[in-house]
Amino acid sequence: MNTIRSTIALAAAGALLCAGQAMAQATPDGQSAATGSAPVAGRATLGVAVIEMDAVISGWSVKNDLLRRAVVNEKNEKIGAVDDVIITPTADAKLSAASFAIVGVGGFLGIKRRDVVIPMEQLKLQDGRLVLQGATKESLKALPPFEYRRK
C-alpha cells in the first residue's frame, strides 16, 4: 500500500512540475507565457527575431550547402571542393561571419591535395552548384597553400 501511495505522490508531483514548465514555455512571438517577457540568458535575449529568421532561412547551411560540395567554374569544370569554413569576428567583435572557404584542390584520394583560402563573397550558389568565376585548377594550385594554426 505504501508503494502505491508513493507512486501516486510521485506521479502527482511530476504532473505539477510538467504543468508549471508548460506554463513557462515561450509563445510563438518569443514572449514567455508566464511573465510576458522575452527569455533571457544573462543580459542577452535568446533566440532570433522574425527578421533574423528570414536571413537564416535564405542563408547557406555549412553542413548541407557547403561542406564537401564541389566547386566549379563558369564552364562547369570541377576545380576543388569545400573542406572547411572559417568564421571570423567583425570589426565591432559583436557578431561573427563566415568569411572564408577552405577549398581542397588537386590530388587523388587526398594525395598531393592542398588547401587554399577563398573569400566567401567570391563563391556563388547557382543552380545548386558552388561557382567560382574565372577559376581553374591551375589558378587555385598557384595560390599559397593554407595551413591551420598549430595549437
Side-chain angles (χ1 to χ4, degrees):
M1 195 66 154
N2 256 351
T3 308
I4 294 173
R5 282 189 187 150
S6 297
T7 304
I8 292 172
L10 284 172
L16 287 173
L17 286 172
C18 289
Q21 179 68 19
M23 290 176 60
Q25 293 293 318
T27 61
D29 64 357
Q31 300 292 314
S32 171
T35 63
S37 62
V40 246
R43 296 180 185 192
T45 302
L46 296 176
V48 295
V50 172
I51 195 163
E52 292 169 319
M53 186 55 75
D54 290 341
V56 170
I57 291 169
S58 65
W60 291 357
S61 163
V62 171
K63 178 180 148 190
N64 295 326
D65 297 326
L66 297 175
L67 285 183
R68 297 182 217 345
R69 176 68 70 85
V71 177
V72 299
N73 59 20
E74 66 279 1
K75 297 175 188 171
N76 202 30
E77 299 168 331
K78 183 179 176 185
I79 54 176
V82 177
D83 289 334
D84 200 358
V85 175
I86 303 296
I87 309 295
T88 59
T90 57
D92 61 7
K94 291 183 180 181
L95 180 65
S96 298
S99 304
F100 303 97
I102 305 303
V103 176
V105 182
F108 180 71
L109 298 175
I111 301 170
K112 290 197 174 188
R113 187 189 66 93
R114 60 187 277 165
D115 292 332
V116 297
V117 179
I118 302 295
M120 288 299 292
E121 64 265 6
Q122 291 180 11
L123 290 171
K124 305 294 180 219
L125 188 58
Q126 297 174 346
D127 302 322
R129 302 174 306 148
L130 285 175
V131 179
L132 185 57
Q133 294 284 331
T136 63
K137 281 186 181 182
E138 293 73 31
S139 67
L140 291 184
K141 286 179 186 177
L143 293 174
F146 171 77
E147 293 184 24
Y148 289 93
R149 173 182 49 165
R150 303 232 190 268
K151 292 185 179 188

